[in-house]
């Protein structure tokens, strides 16, 4: 683990505190608990919530939690435990024994426990769990006598051997077997062999004697393969399990997941030791999971799934497709299945009451796990449930309306990054109507997606890494997913699984990431070897296109177009954004260069344009004509030639600016003067060069010479921005004339227009003064020509060069506003070329030399310091100086929070990110 100095000292302080207090174990159950839900840091999420439920008097199997501090201690002390731990564990085990009247390791009345991980924030399926700890050849006899169910007891023992040998004896011991040779697979192979010999298909068809024999086979195999006997001593089993959970914190999967989710390595996991309850004791037993509201849509219904005669892992692992918990939660797909509500009405009623009570108590949507053992309900877990962005918005607004939470809490309940999912594209409904789905599954993650079929996680990750554009879009299609698949799931546009329910691994992970996902789509049959999926008569191959509607669970063959969602119809979204706007202080504008972008930005709630890049008109569709004129201007060799070309270009610039000003109806539009190095626009191909030469009326060689003379070694720091306006004042002049004339004409037509002229790449006040003189002169000329005496406008500068930030006090004497160009400011502060970071930045991030890409999230300690200096010095000169940001960071929630704290007036970002910035600004204002 690489740790920063502060983190290291925090960890040491934590360890010192722990050593002093020596309270490493917290008990729960029997109507009380030593911990509470607030103690997640110490007890992990699972432990803290088990304690809370036990404290509320809910039926929680008694147990205890070994704290996360023990995990930290373990890694800091060469994988050893604190001295007092053993005694504490034994004491707490004794407490569980006395509550239940059973004894761990007892031949007549044995207590069995589970050993589970529990980090501060949930890491679904990433770490280890061992069930049925305490079973051996002696205790099983006691359990058989107690339950009268030898088959169940043998099955539990063989499951223990299977799990324990895999998790403790192989994985935690650092043994890395060849593919398919792991102990778990070898034992599963023995199970399959036995079934074949008996001529049966299901495990449940094996007799008690078969299973007893299988236990012996398993033990021999463990000894053969791992060179050690399976431990019969229950205490050895318990400590082996505890150690394996701590080890699993640093397993490959867990590390990978933490990297994606940005969970610090230092947090550590707690270990929960809890008495076993069994959902697999026959037809009056069951297990399930539920959500107090539907986590996919946010609907206020108790939503969940259950399986009769099963253990919890069977639901989460997606091995059997579970049944709907109640009638209200049924959909077309599950209509005919039996619900818990009808199959076990008493247990269901009890559960329903508990879920209501828990939601009121926690004042949030919860995800709960339960087991019913011979009709008796036990609560195994509760935690604040993961939800997608669409559901998060609905729940927050509904809960505010139900008076469960306040308006402020509702705003804070939706993370700005989750809001992206509300804005997410969906399959074009028209295209969906014109075709029929090939299959339907459970809608586990909303939105639409298309991509090429990948049948393994590695395949998906590889395609994405090696391809670009549309070719890099894949849909991962799996029987079911497991924690080993996370890299491929992350790389894919969407996930489709044949098995599993709404709480399967795929659904849980996709929900956390806000990814389009369909699970339990049992009409598809995957043939990995042939590289195909069969859906009824239809066969699709790996690499074929498919499209998913994750909101309805529909799967289509081929590539269906995506469209933006109808936000106006989403009332909850409207309410939430309205509340956010009431609380935020920061203004939010958009970076937009066309009337269409401007329109979109306003629809998303932008209050102006913070960056209109004039050069936009020279790229892409419709750019041929203005680009031709610009090129003529660039290769001019005299001012007269240049002015002639500029006069022609003027028409295009004016029309472009005018259309956007008109669209914004008087809202401020910050128009930046031409910024890129001119060489960027010189044609590359011989044909185009020849065309330009004939246009200008010179020979090809002459043109090439002129073009070559523009070449720069380091164009990002070369002849660009204000420097162009200094060398060629007529370029500034033309643009300013176009802006002011467009404005004057709009005013004369009775419309409103408010341009703000912005000068880029400034590093001295003198450059600004030079440009101001031009602007002032042109203003007089335009006022005279148009007869409009007062043309409203501001003139300001970008702060994107470190020197400009340092000399902001001087620069503010001239400027009426500042806008931080943090793309360039980051480039020049770090000295990282913004166009070349791909070759080294990933190494910096992987090695934790930088916490993240400073071009995505503002580097507060370096670039942020310059921003603060510039604000302080600028406002010292001009207290009412208007200050904004228009670099990419303006749409990044963490950077928006910084901008709020730093005292900026507004942020400007791409239109799509405007709602995210609005919500992030409200979060910043509400943060303590
Ligand atoms: C910036 O540098 O942050 C900026 C907004 O300008 P550009 O990205 O066009 O250089
Ligand atoms: Mg810039």
């Amino acid at each position: 683990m690489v740790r920063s100095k502060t983190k290291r000292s925090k960890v040491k302080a934590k360890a010192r505190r722990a050593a002093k207090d020596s309270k490493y174990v917290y008990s729960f159950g029997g109507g009380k608990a030593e911990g509470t839900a607030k103690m997640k840091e110490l007890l992990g999420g699972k432990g803290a919530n088990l304690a809370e439920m036990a404290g509320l008097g809910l039926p929680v199997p008694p147990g205890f939690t070994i704290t996360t501090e023990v995990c930290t201690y373990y890694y800091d002390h060469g994988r050893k435990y604190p001295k007092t731990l053993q005694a504490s564990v034994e004491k707490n085990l004794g407490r569980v024994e006395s509550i239940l009247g059973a004894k761990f390791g007892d031949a007549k009345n044995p207590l069995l426990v589970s050993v589970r991980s529990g980090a501060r924030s949930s890491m679904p399926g990433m770490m280890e769990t061992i069930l049925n700890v305490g079973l051996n050849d002696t205790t099983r006899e006691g359990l058989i006598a107690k339950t009268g169910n030898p088959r169940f007891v043998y099955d539990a023992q063989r499951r223990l051997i299977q799990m324990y040998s895999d998790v403790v004896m192989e994985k935690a011991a650092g043994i890395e077997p060849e593919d398919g040779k792991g102990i778990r697979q070898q034992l599963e192979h023995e199970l399959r062999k036995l079934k074949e010999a008996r001529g049966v298909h299901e495990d449940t068809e094996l007799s008690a004697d078969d299973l007893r024999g299988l236990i012996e086979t398993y033990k021999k195999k463990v000894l053969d393969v791992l060179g050690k006997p399976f431990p019969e001593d229950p205490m050895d089993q318990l400590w082996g399990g505890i150690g394996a959970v701590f080890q699993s914190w640093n397993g490959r999967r867990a590390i990978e997941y933490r990297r994606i989710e940005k969970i610090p390595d230092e947090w550590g996991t707690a270990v929960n030791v809890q008495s076993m309850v069994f959902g697999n004791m026959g037809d009056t037993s069951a297990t399930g999971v539920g959500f107090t509201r539907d986590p996919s849509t946010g609907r206020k219904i108790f939503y969940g799934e259950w399986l009769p005669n099963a253990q919890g892992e069977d639901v989460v692992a997606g091995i059997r497709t579970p049944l709907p918990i109640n009638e209200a939660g049924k959909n077309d797909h599950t209509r005919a299945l039996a619900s818990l509500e009808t199959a076990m009405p008493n247990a269901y009623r009890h559960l329903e009451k508990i879920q209501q009570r828990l939601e009121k108590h926690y004042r949030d949507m919860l995800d709960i796990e339960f087991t019913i053992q011979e009709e008796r309900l036990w609560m195994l877990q509760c935690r604040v449930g993961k939800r997608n962005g669409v559901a998060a918005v609905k729940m927050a607004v509904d809960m505010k309306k139900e008076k469960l939470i306040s308006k402020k809490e509702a705003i804070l309940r939706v993370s700005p990054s989750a809001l992206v999912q509300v804005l997410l594209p969906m399959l074009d409904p028209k295209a969906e109507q014109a075709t029929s789905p090939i299959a339907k599954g459970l809608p586990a993650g909303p939105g639409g997606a298309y991509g090429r079929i990948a049948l393994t996680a590695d395949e998906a990750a590889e395609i994405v890494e090696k391809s670009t554009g549309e070719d890099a879009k894949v849909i991962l299609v799996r029987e079911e997913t497991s924690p080993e698949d996370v890299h491929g799931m992350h790389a894919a546009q969407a996930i489709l699984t044949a098995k599993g329910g709404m709480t399967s691994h795929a659904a849980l992970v996709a929900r956390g990431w806000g990814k389009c996902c369909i699970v339990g789509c049992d009409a598809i049959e995957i043939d990995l070897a042939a590289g195909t999926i069969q859906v009824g008569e239809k066969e699709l191959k790996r690499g074929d296109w498919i499209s998913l509607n994750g909101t309805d669970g529909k799967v289509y063959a081929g590539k269906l177009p995506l469209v933006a969602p109808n936000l106006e119809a989403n009332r909850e979204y409207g309410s939430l954004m309205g509340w956010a706007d009431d609380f935020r202080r920061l203004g939010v504008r958009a970076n937009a260069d066309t009337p269409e972008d401007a329109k979109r930005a306003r629809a998303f709630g932008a209050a102006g344009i913070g960056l209109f890049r004039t050069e936009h008109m020279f790229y892409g569709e419709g750019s041929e004509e203005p680009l031709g004129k610009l090129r003529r201007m660039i290769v001019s060799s005299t001012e007269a030639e240049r002015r002639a070309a500029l006069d022609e270009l003027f028409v295009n610039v004016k029309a472009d600016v005018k259309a956007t000003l008109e669209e914004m109806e008087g809202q401020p539009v910050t128009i930046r003067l031409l910024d890129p190095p001119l060489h960027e626009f010189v044609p590359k191909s011989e044909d185009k060069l020849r065309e330009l030469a004939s246009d200008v009326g010179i020979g090809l060689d002459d043109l090439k010479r002129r073009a070559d003379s523009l070449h720069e070694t380091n164009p990002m720091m070369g002849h660009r921005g204000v420097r162009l306006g200094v060398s060629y004042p007529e370029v500034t002049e033309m643009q300013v004339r176009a802006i002011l004339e467009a404005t004057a004409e709009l005013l004369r037509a009775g419309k409103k227009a408010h341009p703000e002229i912005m000068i880029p790449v400034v590093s001295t006040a003198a450059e600004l003064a030079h440009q101001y003189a031009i602007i002032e002169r042109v203003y007089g000329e335009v006022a005279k020509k148009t007869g409009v005496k007062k043309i409203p406008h501001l003139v300001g500068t970008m702060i994107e060069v470190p020197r400009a930030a340092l000399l902001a006090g001087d620069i503010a004497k001239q400027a009426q506003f500042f806008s931080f160009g943090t793309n360039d400011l980051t480039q020049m502060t770090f000295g990282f070329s913004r166009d070349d970071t791909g070759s080294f930045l990933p190494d910096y991030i992987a090695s934790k030399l930088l916490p993240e890409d400073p071009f995505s999230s503002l580097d507060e300690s370096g670039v942020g310091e310059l921003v603060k200096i510039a604000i302080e010095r600028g406002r010292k000169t001009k207290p009412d100086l208007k200050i904004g940001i228009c670099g990419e960071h303006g749409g990044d929630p963490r950077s928006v929070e910084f901008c709020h704290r730093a005292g900026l007036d507004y942020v400007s970002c791409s239109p799509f990110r405007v709602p995210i910035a609005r919500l992030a600004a409200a979060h910043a204002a509400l943060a303590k």
Side-chain angles (χ1 to χ4, degrees):
M1 278 193 280
V2 180
R3 289 186 186 145
S4 72
K5 220 169 161 187
T6 46
K7 275 187 189 144
R8 216 167 25 233
S9 57
K10 266 194 199 151
V11 168
K12 282 208 173 128
K14 198 166 115 178
R16 266 200 308 277
R17 223 173 30 249
K20 201 168 122 241
D21 300 349
S22 297
K23 178 141 182 81
Y24 292 121
V25 183
Y26 287 70
S27 69
F28 58 82
K32 53 186 178 185
E34 289 181 303
T36 69
K38 293 208 171 70
M39 295 163 71
K40 286 200 183 61
E41 284 190 22
L42 193 64
L43 303 180
K46 188 191 272 282
N49 288 322
L50 278 170
E52 187 80 11
M53 285 200 290
L56 287 172
L58 300 181
V60 173
F64 54 89
T65 303
I66 303 173
T67 68
T68 54
E69 288 181 343
V70 177
C71 188
T72 315
Y73 184 103
Y74 177 78
Y75 281 108
D76 279 355
H77 292 79
R79 308 194 176 204
K80 289 207 172 57
Y81 299 124
K83 284 203 186 62
T84 56
L85 185 68
Q86 191 178 342
S88 303
V89 165
E90 284 168 7
K91 186 173 138 221
N92 278 278
L93 194 59
R95 186 180 172 273
V96 176
E97 290 171 339
S98 66
I99 294 173
L100 295 175
K103 215 165 163 34
F104 192 63
D106 192 77
K108 290 216 167 58
N109 190 11
L111 166 70
L112 301 189
V113 296
S114 63
V115 180
R116 296 172 195 263
S117 61
R120 247 195 255 183
S121 77
S122 121
M123 297 170 58
M126 293 296 136
M127 286 184 295
E128 304 298 356
T129 290
I130 305 157
L131 305 179
N132 308 333
V133 172
L135 258 187
N136 59 20
D137 293 354
T138 316
T139 57
R140 77 179 183 201
E141 299 308 321
L143 198 63
I144 290 171
K146 210 167 128 182
T147 60
N149 191 344
R151 199 196 167 284
F152 153 74
V153 176
Y154 294 135
D155 191 43
Q157 191 182 0
R158 72 106 195 148
R159 283 178 191 245
L160 166 68
I161 299 174
Q162 214 166 306
M163 262 187 255
Y164 192 94
S165 58
D166 171 44
V167 171
V168 184
M169 301 177 74
E170 189 172 87
K171 285 206 186 92
I175 299 168
E176 287 191 9
E178 279 171 50
D179 247 10
K181 289 270 164 38
I183 185 70
R184 192 183 283 247
Q185 282 117 318
Q186 298 208 35
L187 297 185
E188 262 160 18
H189 179 68
E190 294 300 330
L191 174 64
R192 262 197 313 277
K193 256 181 20 195
L194 179 65
K195 284 199 282 191
E196 267 167 35
R198 297 286 180 269
V200 299
H201 289 290
E202 300 292 328
D203 297 4
T204 45
E205 293 171 276
L206 292 172
S207 69
D209 281 347
D210 288 335
L211 290 169
R212 196 177 48 203
L214 186 64
I215 291 168
E216 291 315 307
T217 314
Y218 271 15
K219 286 189 189 169
K220 280 201 198 80
K221 196 87 206 169
V222 168
L223 185 60
D224 270 4
V225 174
L226 300 171
K228 275 192 204 161
F230 178 79
E232 282 286 293
D233 180 343
M235 269 303 178
D236 287 349
Q237 291 177 5
L238 178 62
W239 284 104
I242 293 170
V245 170
F246 284 139
Q247 289 278 94
S248 69
W249 175 253
N250 271 346
R252 197 173 57 83
R253 290 179 305 177
I255 291 174
E256 170 94 353
Y257 188 83
R258 288 205 293 275
R259 193 183 55 72
I260 295 171
E261 293 286 313
K262 299 201 167 77
I263 295 173
D265 291 341
E266 289 74 21
W267 280 4
T269 180
V271 180
N272 297 293
V273 177
Q274 189 175 22
S275 46
M276 283 296 301
V277 283
F278 297 97
N280 56 345
M281 276 182 80
D283 290 341
T284 54
S285 299
T287 188
V289 296
F291 296 89
T292 59
R293 299 185 190 216
D294 184 340
S296 305
T297 62
R299 228 168 21 124
K300 188 177 181 337
I301 56 158
F302 178 36
Y303 188 89
E305 293 167 338
W306 75 293
L307 275 174
N309 197 9
Q311 283 202 317
E313 312 314 294
D314 302 342
V315 184
V316 179
I319 292 165
R320 283 159 65 184
T321 298
L323 312 171
I325 208 164
N326 52 19
E327 298 304 300
K330 284 186 173 177
N331 57 28
D332 291 350
H333 209 64
T334 56
R335 193 76 56 216
L337 303 175
S339 69
L340 181 71
E341 188 177 7
T342 49
M344 296 187 192
N346 288 339
Y348 176 78
R349 265 197 300 279
H350 191 189
L351 180 65
E352 160 78 39
K353 271 208 193 100
I354 288 179
Q355 69 89 15
Q356 281 183 19
R357 180 160 172 216
L358 280 172
E359 188 179 276
K360 273 219 176 79
H361 181 73
Y362 278 83
R363 303 188 316 123
D364 204 345
M365 186 274 272
L366 297 179
D367 155 356
I368 58 184
E369 286 182 20
F370 63 91
T371 280
I372 298 167
Q373 179 177 323
E374 297 181 312
E375 291 187 8
R376 183 157 175 208
L377 174 70
W378 292 97
M379 301 303 294
L380 295 190
Q381 174 161 309
C382 87
R383 60 187 167 191
V384 170
K386 287 214 161 111
R387 62 206 75 182
N388 64 52
V390 177
V393 170
K394 177 158 173 56
M395 284 179 201
V397 173
D398 284 354
M399 285 185 188
K400 150 75 184 67
K401 292 193 172 146
E402 292 159 26
K403 297 196 165 56
L404 200 57
I405 58 174
S406 69
K407 208 185 252 189
K408 286 184 191 173
E409 281 173 308
I411 295 168
L412 292 170
R413 282 284 165 90
V414 182
S415 84
S417 47
L419 198 64
V420 177
Q421 293 158 37
V422 180
L423 316 170
L424 231 45
M426 53 189 208
L427 293 186
D428 184 348
K430 282 198 227 95
E432 281 196 77
Q433 259 163 22
T435 175
S436 300
I438 54 167
K440 249 194 116 193
L442 301 174
Y450 60 77
R452 292 188 295 153
I453 296 171
L455 295 177
T456 67
D458 285 344
E459 196 178 303
E462 195 179 317
I463 295 174
V464 172
E465 199 185 315
K466 296 201 171 140
S467 332
T468 52
E470 288 290 283
D471 285 344
K473 292 189 169 150
V474 300
I475 307 263
L476 179 61
V477 185
R478 301 281 290 157
E479 195 76 12
E480 62 200 280
T481 64
S482 77
E484 261 96 20
D485 293 326
V486 279
H487 59 300
M489 297 167 79
H490 200 240
Q493 298 288 315
I495 300 148
L496 170 63
T497 69
K499 288 188 179 163
M502 294 292 270
T503 46
S504 62
H505 177 263
L508 239 59
V509 172
R511 192 170 303 133
W513 290 340
K515 199 160 271 218
C516 173
C517 176
I518 297 175
V519 297
C521 187
D522 46 19
I524 60 172
E525 274 173 49
I526 302 171
D527 186 338
L528 259 183
T532 58
I533 60 173
Q534 190 76 36
V535 195
E537 298 291 285
K538 199 169 183 69
E539 188 183 274
L540 294 169
K541 294 187 299 301
R542 106 179 342 124
D544 284 350
W545 291 94
I546 51 166
S547 304
L548 309 189
N549 173 340
T551 314
D552 287 347
K554 291 184 187 139
V555 183
Y556 298 89
K559 192 169 160 184
L560 266 56
L562 297 173
V563 292
N566 180 1
L567 286 180
E568 267 149 46
N570 187 338
R571 289 214 314 274
E572 285 88 10
Y573 166 81
S575 302
L576 188 84
M577 295 312 291
W579 300 340
D581 290 344
D582 290 343
F583 284 101
R584 70 184 159 94
R585 183 192 59 72
L586 272 176
V588 178
R589 297 193 189 181
N591 294 356
D593 318 309
T594 62
E596 299 77 58
D597 271 359
K599 196 174 179 149
R600 197 166 308 132
R602 288 191 73 187
F604 278 132
I609 291 180
L611 177 62
F612 174 97
R613 291 177 165 104
T614 8
E615 56 271 20
H616 176 86
M617 71 169 83
F618 306 118
Y619 300 108
E621 215 181 308
S623 63
E624 275 296 296
E625 189 207 317
L627 183 59
K629 295 175 181 175
L630 179 77
R631 283 174 171 164
R632 247 178 295 143
M633 185 277 278
I634 290 171
V635 296
S636 313
S637 56
T638 64
E639 188 182 328
E641 258 179 49
R642 198 159 30 250
R643 279 196 180 275
L646 282 170
D647 282 349
E648 284 193 40
L649 193 54
F650 169 81
V651 182
N652 300 83
V653 176
K654 185 167 139 187
D656 209 46
V657 167
K658 191 170 172 183
T660 300
L661 282 172
E662 188 170 3
E663 185 64 52
M664 294 306 287
E665 296 182 300
Q667 286 193 346
V669 178
T670 310
I671 302 162
R672 182 178 69 184
L673 302 187
L674 200 63
D675 182 24
L678 294 183
H679 188 253
E680 232 176 58
F681 299 104
V682 174
K684 307 276 175 301
S685 74
E686 193 79 5
D687 275 1
K688 290 269 178 215
L689 281 168
R690 209 180 298 278
E691 211 176 284
L692 182 59
S694 95
D695 238 21
V696 180
I698 55 175
L700 183 60
D701 286 346
D702 198 7
L703 180 87
K704 279 187 176 166
R705 225 181 346 88
R706 292 190 195 184
D708 283 349
S709 73
L710 291 167
H711 178 78
E712 293 177 304
T713 311
N714 206 343
M716 265 297 185
M717 293 206 264
H719 205 176
R720 60 173 288 213
V722 68
R723 297 158 209 169
L724 294 171
V726 169
S727 307
Y728 311 119
E730 54 279 14
V731 174
T732 301
E733 189 182 316
M734 178 279 286
Q735 296 179 82
V736 172
R737 193 181 305 285
I739 295 167
L740 295 177
E741 278 196 22
T743 309
E745 283 174 16
L746 286 169
L747 294 178
R748 288 187 55 158
K751 301 193 170 147
K752 286 190 196 144
H754 199 286
E756 298 178 342
I757 299 169
M758 181 157 77
I759 303 175
V761 203
V762 163
S763 54
T764 76
E767 285 170 322
L768 214 49
H770 178 276
Q771 296 291 292
Y772 267 60
I774 302 170
I775 297 171
E776 227 161 77
R777 176 170 55 78
V778 175
Y779 180 88
E781 290 166 12
V782 175
K784 195 159 161 213
K785 178 178 164 195
T786 59
V788 180
K789 294 230 163 35
K790 210 164 166 341
I791 309 171
H793 73 287
L794 294 181
V795 184
T797 181
M798 292 192 75
I799 302 286
E800 52 184 344
V801 175
R803 191 178 191 281
L806 296 171
L807 294 178
D810 269 357
I811 291 176
K813 286 183 195 143
Q814 298 279 343
Q816 287 171 296
F817 66 88
F818 282 175
S819 179
F820 287 101
T822 43
N823 302 334
D824 273 310
L825 194 58
T826 301
Q827 163 167 267
M828 293 191 231
T829 304
F830 275 94
F832 288 169
S833 161
R834 60 194 262 195
D835 297 327
D836 303 301
T837 51
S839 53
F840 59 90
L841 211 50
D843 300 335
Y844 273 64
I845 291 161
S847 321
K848 298 190 179 165
L849 300 184
L850 281 175
E852 58 200 310
D853 182 344
F855 289 97
S856 305
S857 199
L858 193 109
D859 157 53
E860 220 182 298
S861 43
V863 180
E865 198 58 24
L866 281 170
V867 170
K868 285 196 224 155
I869 289 172
I871 294 174
E872 191 201 315
R873 296 185 185 172
R875 290 224 170 106
K876 200 164 174 199
T877 304
K878 203 174 261 174
D880 59 349
L881 185 70
K882 193 158 67 156
I883 305 181
I885 177 174
C886 61
E888 283 307 301
H889 305 91
D892 166 61
R894 283 219 290 121
S895 313
V896 171
E897 204 256 335
F898 165 78
C899 293
H900 171 89
R901 273 189 281 119
L904 264 71
D905 294 305
Y906 68 87
V907 296
S908 186
C909 55
S910 64
F912 188 72
R913 290 166 104 185
V914 164
I916 298 162
R918 283 163 67 198
L919 186 58
H923 275 227
L926 291 173
K928 292 237 167 62

